[in-house]
Amino acid sequence: MRVLVIGSGAREHALVLALRRDPAVTALFAAPGNAGIAQQAQVRPVDPCAAEDVVALATEVDADLVVIGPEVPLVLGVADALRVAGIPCFGPSAAAARIEGSKAFAKDVMSAAGVRTAHSEVVDNPAELDDALDRFGPTWVVKDDGLAAGKGVVVTADRSAAREHGAELLEQGHPVLLESFLDGPEVSLFCLVDGETVVPLLPAQDHKRVGDGDTGPNTGGMGAYTPLPWLPEETVTAIVEDVVRPVAAELVRRGSGFSGLLYAGLAIGSAGPAVVEFNCRFGDPETQAVLALLDSPLGELLYATATGTLAQVEPPRWRDGAAVTVVLAAENYPGRPRLGDAISGAGEGASDGNATVLHAGTTQREDGALISAGGRVLNVVGVGADLTEARASAYDRIAAIKLPGSHYRTDIGLAAVENRIEV
């Protein structure tokens, strides 16, 4: 099987590495890729959002399967263009990708499916913002209704900060979604979805805020770990049966059945699981940890999903142990990051014992030097017999990487290790 992976981050690097472990995958291509992915696949400088160019590349390399990593190409309909061309694609249609592209649409789907989520209101007029804010709190959740790469959300007990963020979004022409605050620890559950067939992967937990102890602004994700020792197995079953299956069925009912990876982000509170958000693709950085423990051939699972035969494939098998992803970010991230600095100690992205370095925002200078090219620059994935060992593997490896001004959280998975998370 010849596979083309669309995207350029650490998520796509993780997908490429997992696909390389599948003996059925005979050729790997990536567009546009990054410096690390280039060590594992043939990279091509194609814009992931240019549907015609993606179709042309898939045709040129005779791809049997195209795997779309990021959300923007999916929302823009790149998967639709591939399917029209007769090329199997892992990733939902533009109609189904609205589950992430429009939070208001996702709320409507959840309401119709009877899925528990936060109370919400959409505000599209600055004159209505203050009155709407008065109906929420004392903790305000203010979101960009569209795509914001994980950085369009403010959760705060400060009404003025909530108002400032809402006003800024409206000034930019973006509708604002206000939500009631959901208590409890958050869980990311990835599910392969083929119409009404739902196959869950391992649950993970993301760390969204930039600083230790969940301080500072939201980011695209500073690290993740799996499995979750504090999450009962029956809760995962309940999420699949009470959340993911009803939403998948509702999308089918609307004529926009989902095909790909449906990501449910949930808060596990005193009243049970409630949906924080849905995403239409593999999450970043949770994917990096989840795929590190996958023992089944990834290509088989993705191809079956893309071709409507997921129900015929054996459920995924998992390695024992745990995996932890730690993100190395550039100076000033999640603000405007400092770019173009030389990186040392990263290696070529291959596994080094129990740790793997994945490239997220990197490129290579003409002289061969590896340099930073994004806010999240590298991920280090550590594996071990348990979370303690996995954390040690990740942090020992990341300490050897040098990038001026870079930063990373030192507490990824720590609360779980110290049994400070309760459901």
Side-chain angles (χ1 to χ4, degrees):
M1 180 163 52
R2 300 168 65 83
V3 183
L4 168 62
V5 176
I6 302 298
S8 61
R11 166 185 49 213
E12 288 75 35
H13 196 173
L15 286 164
V16 164
L17 287 179
L19 287 164
R20 277 180 62 90
R21 297 197 299 266
D22 185 340
V25 176
T26 56
L28 263 174
F29 306 87
N34 59 39
I37 293 173
Q39 304 295 325
Q40 313 293 334
Q42 298 181 46
V43 298
R44 302 293 178 87
V46 168
D47 180 354
C49 297
E52 289 185 5
D53 294 346
V54 171
V55 171
L57 176 60
T59 303
E60 176 193 335
V61 302
D62 196 21
D64 299 299
L65 174 67
V66 177
V67 179
I68 300 179
E71 62 274 21
V72 176
L74 294 168
V75 170
L76 293 177
V78 174
D80 301 81
L82 287 160
R83 291 192 180 99
V84 167
I87 301 168
C89 176
F90 182 86
S93 65
R98 290 182 66 202
I99 198 78
E100 178 172 2
S102 168
K103 295 177 180 64
F105 173 78
K107 292 287 186 183
D108 185 59
V109 169
M110 283 185 274
S111 176
V115 170
R116 184 169 173 266
T117 185
H119 167 68
S120 65
E121 290 184 32
V122 176
V123 179
D124 56 12
N125 186 333
E128 299 171 358
L129 180 60
D130 283 308
D131 285 345
L133 285 168
D134 288 342
R135 292 190 286 273
F136 290 83
T139 298
W140 285 268
V141 181
V142 186
K143 298 182 176 182
D144 188 330
D145 184 50
L147 298 175
K151 294 177 283 186
V153 180
V154 165
V155 180
T156 179
D158 183 343
R159 188 185 186 284
S160 61
R163 188 187 189 286
E164 181 180 355
H165 183 59
E168 182 180 348
L169 291 174
L170 290 167
E171 194 173 298
Q172 296 168 359
H174 298 191
V176 172
L177 186 78
L178 298 179
E179 287 187 341
S180 58
F181 178 71
L182 296 173
D183 66 324
E186 291 195 11
V187 171
S188 300
L189 183 65
F190 299 167
C191 293
L192 301 173
V193 175
D194 164 17
E196 294 193 41
T197 300
V198 175
V199 176
L201 305 184
L202 289 180
Q205 187 176 59
D206 186 13
H207 294 60
K208 279 291 187 188
R209 292 190 181 266
V210 71
D212 285 359
D214 292 327
T215 57
N218 272 341
T219 71
M222 292 299 292
Y225 68 95
T226 189
L228 309 182
W230 47 270
L231 186 69
E233 189 172 332
E234 56 267 26
T235 303
V236 175
T237 301
I239 293 168
V240 173
E241 297 301 326
D242 300 339
V243 175
V244 184
R245 288 194 197 280
V247 164
E250 174 62 18
L251 289 172
V252 169
R253 190 190 69 78
R254 294 178 179 220
S256 53
F258 197 95
S259 174
L261 193 292
L262 186 57
Y263 163 137
L266 307 107
I268 312 299
S270 54
V275 175
V276 175
E277 64 178 353
F278 276 106
N279 290 336
C280 63
R281 39 68 191 183
F282 277 106
D284 184 350
E286 300 100 318
T287 299
Q288 292 83 300
V290 170
L291 292 184
L293 298 182
L294 180 66
D295 202 33
S296 297
L298 179 63
E300 178 185 42
L301 290 166
L302 303 188
Y303 185 79
T305 306
T307 55
T309 59
L310 182 60
Q312 302 169 27
V313 177
E314 290 185 6
R317 300 184 306 275
W318 302 98
R319 299 185 179 96
D320 292 334
V324 173
T325 303
V326 182
V327 173
L328 181 75
E331 182 177 343
N332 200 43
Y333 179 80
R336 185 184 295 274
R338 173 173 156 174
L339 307 177
D341 287 311
I343 305 163
S344 62
E348 294 184 348
S351 181
D352 178 16
N354 289 326
T356 302
V357 178
L358 300 176
H359 291 232
T362 66
T363 190
Q364 210 160 16
R365 278 196 320 230
E366 291 183 3
D367 63 1
L370 184 68
I371 60 172
S372 59
R376 293 186 294 175
V377 182
L378 296 168
N379 290 184
V380 174
V381 182
V383 296
D386 55 24
L387 276 177
T388 299
E389 285 191 11
R391 276 177 42 82
S393 298
Y395 282 111
D396 286 350
R397 184 66 184 87
I398 204 169
I401 300 172
K402 306 302 178 187
L403 171 64
S406 62
H407 58 97
Y408 58 88
R409 282 184 60 159
T410 65
D411 63 347
I412 305 300
L414 183 60
V417 169
E418 295 179 345
N419 296 314
R420 291 189 278 114
I421 304 178
E422 295 182 357
V423 175

